[in-house]
Amino acid sequence: MSGLLPRHSLSDITVADALPEVTPAERDRLLSAPRTAEAHRALLAEVPAMRMVQTGGTPTATMLPATPTVVAWNLERCIFPEDSAAHLSGHMPDIVLLSEMDHGMARTKQRHTTAAMADATGMAYAYGVEFYEMDLGGPTERPYCDDDFNAIGWHGNAILSKVPFSRVTMIRLDDHGHWFSAEAGADPEQPRLGGRMALAAVVETAGGPLCVVSTHLESNAGSEHRGQQVEILLDGIDAFAPGLPVLIGGDLNTGNHVPPDYDWRAEALFPLAEARGYSWDFTVDGPTTRASLISPHTERVMKLDWFAGRGLVALDRAILSSISAEGMPLSDHDAVLCKVRMT
């Protein structure tokens, strides 16, 4: 597991209202660097935004109910932030755990998609960088680019909340450059600096403080790799919120690279989390992927999106279709929802 361990601890993470951008000269240096894990680790350490959480937005409440409703949704770059926010409005979530959120990318009109969703929902947000995208994205994304450059190039995870965050941090899950290093099998059409990560935040509810976590595990890997990422994640949560009830939500990529039928049931992460006191009873049965505008494939239908909880019970569970009222697929993932109560 040493190849996955990040070189900084939670004490290295800072919170700010803006993330320092990569300059054109720094981008050129990143593009010309050797595509090795060693080079990636050194470069990652030199980009301050990789150790920062951006916060903003305007929360509309001071305390959540004792039975908060939480949605986790991989928004596949978030091409339509306002439509996505409107799609959630009928479900009235108190917390939204988001992954694959662009900030300053040509394919999403150079917008800060998390900030746009926070504005549309009247929520606070926390945003962290998973990857610095050094190009415009994959071939199915480029038709959505009006520009031939990224204004900023961030891509990451986020948390939306109706109440202010008491505390927030980032937990990086790898630093070896899975999407940068040739030796790790990086995609040459999507050069990226960074790696999978999680955002963790403490919010106040009428039942007491709750730790919520938005995460995204590796797709281009197998079960053992994702299990190791979950170990790092749970260790980070224990350091950040010892003794608190916890709800983790996100795209865990369960079954990816597990041919021929992408069976999620063999994933190492399930018993590993259970041994640490977590339950998987917060996610309803059923697949969570579908064809979308930038992922038009229909041959793989998988269950990738989950909640895991500790110190909580599930009161309600659902899968929310990502097809808008107008028939537009907002993502290649459906959202998962749960309503919880502390034990």
Side-chain angles (χ1 to χ4, degrees), residues 1-9 12-13 30 34-47 50-51 129-132 170-184 186 192-198 216 218 225 228-229 232-233:
M1 185 165 46
S2 60
L4 292 173
L5 291 173
R7 292 198 171 192
H8 61 270
S9 67
D12 297 322
I13 304 301
L30 293 174
R35 295 303 177 88
T36 65
E38 183 179 9
H40 181 269
R41 289 188 176 101
L43 294 166
L44 189 68
E46 296 174 10
V47 177
M50 294 294 179
R51 300 179 300 281
V129 177
E130 186 175 57
F131 296 110
Y132 171 62
M170 175 192 292
I171 304 167
R172 297 212 76 89
L173 305 181
D174 60 59
D175 67 354
H176 64 289
H178 211 99
W179 293 80
F180 178 90
S181 167
E183 59 195 23
R192 300 168 169 174
L193 178 80
R196 304 301 181 179
M197 47 76 79
H216 190 194
E218 185 55 60
H225 186 96
Q228 292 170 349
Q229 289 185 320
I232 295 169
L233 174 61

Side-chain angles (χ1 to χ4, degrees), residues 49 104 141 196 237 246 315 330:
E141 298 168 346
R196 304 301 181 179
I237 293 169
V246 178
L315 303 179
L330 300 171

Side-chain angles (χ1 to χ4, degrees), residues 228-302:
Q228 292 170 349
Q229 289 185 320
V230 165
E231 278 195 88
I232 295 169
L233 174 61
L234 299 186
D235 286 345
I237 293 169
D238 285 346
F240 174 67
L244 287 189
V246 178
L247 186 67
I248 303 167
D251 174 4
L252 305 189
N253 272 305
T254 42
N256 247 323
H257 282 246
V258 186
D261 53 1
Y262 309 100
D263 188 353
W264 55 266
R265 290 170 294 185
E267 287 278 344
L269 60 87
F270 292 115
L272 189 155
E274 289 168 355
R276 301 277 293 264
Y278 285 82
S279 167
W280 297 96
D281 293 340
F282 301 85
T283 316
V284 70
D285 292 338
T288 60
T289 64
R290 63 171 61 248
S292 70
L293 297 181
I294 62 177
S295 297
H297 54 76
T298 58
E299 69 277 9
R300 289 187 299 171
V301 178
M302 298 184 285

Side-chain angles (χ1 to χ4, degrees), residues 324-341:
S324 74
E326 295 73 32
M328 177 77 71
L330 300 171
S331 173
D332 62 339
H333 289 247
D334 288 337
V336 290
L337 175 149
C338 69
K339 188 173 188 176
V340 299
R341 175 175 51 81

